[in-house]
């Protein structure tokens, strides 16, 4: 399976999502993460520690891709229409992470409009960095997306410091020693299960 993670807006958990989806898929069969972001955030994450899957620069992807059952692609933010069309055509599922704030949701709706404009159907929205209760931001964002009949993952990714600690250590959150790491990992496990259904 080829899963591409893309967003019109930065700071929505795109690389964190790529790392953790690759980690989940690696538990099922060999997985490659291709870092296509100019910032090379996934490569930096990998260089700081020990990820359980291979991470390569997009320029080296062709050499390695045939060796893996699953591929996750972390893309550059702000893809234009041509890039978006190529991303959709080159994957089995386009995952679009968004935080529940209005600026991110507006950027998400622009992404969805662009996807509709090219006739794309193989995409799903992932709500990320959901603030803890009593905030209802996550629920309100989900309601807005459902009202528009947009495809949204049932699971969501809550805001945990464990993700930042894992990034600093160069590990997936499942290997973090943070006391809430298991809860954080469970959020991405749920998304992984939805993808493989």
């Amino acid at each position: 399976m080829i899963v591409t993670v893309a967003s019109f807006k930065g700071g929505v958990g795109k690389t964190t999502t790529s790392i953790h989806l690759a980690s989940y898929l690696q538990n099922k069969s060999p997985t490659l993460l291709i870092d296509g972001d100019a910032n090379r955030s996934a490569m930096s994450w990998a260089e700081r520690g020990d990820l359980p899957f291979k991470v390569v620069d997009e320029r080296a992807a062709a050499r390695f891709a045939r060796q893996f059952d699953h591929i996750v692609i972390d893309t550059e933010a702000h893809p234009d229409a041509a890039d978006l069309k190529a991303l959709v055509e080159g994957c089995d599922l386009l995952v679009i992470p968004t935080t529940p704030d209005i600026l991110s949701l507006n950027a998400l709706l622009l992404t969805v409009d662009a996807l509709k404009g090219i006739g794309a159907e193989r995409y799903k929205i992932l709500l990320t960095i959901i603030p803890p209760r009593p905030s209802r931001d996550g629920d309100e964002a989900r309601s807005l997306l459902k009202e528009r009949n947009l495809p949204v993952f049932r699971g969501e990714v809550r805001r945990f410091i464990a993700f930042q600690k894992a990034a600093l250590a160069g590990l997936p959150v499942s290997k973090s020693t943070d006391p809430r790491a298991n809860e954080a990992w469970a959020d991405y496990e749920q998304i992984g299960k939805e993808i493989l259904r």
Side-chain angles (χ1 to χ4, degrees), residues 95-129:
V95 175
I96 309 168
T98 185
T99 54
D101 62 274
I102 193 65
L103 293 177
S104 296
L105 290 170
N106 283 342
L108 169 71
L109 295 175
L110 290 174
T111 306
V112 169
D113 287 344
L115 288 166
K116 287 180 177 175
I118 60 174
E121 295 179 355
R122 294 186 320 265
Y123 69 91
K124 207 161 188 180
I125 298 161
L126 174 60
L127 288 166
T128 59
I129 317 175

Side-chain angles (χ1 to χ4, degrees), residues 130 157-164 178 180 183-185 187:
I130 305 290
V157 179
R158 294 168 288 171
R159 183 177 69 206
F160 287 106
I161 295 297
F163 288 120
Q164 294 167 332
D178 185 89
R180 301 195 69 190
E183 288 177 80
W185 174 238
D187 286 357

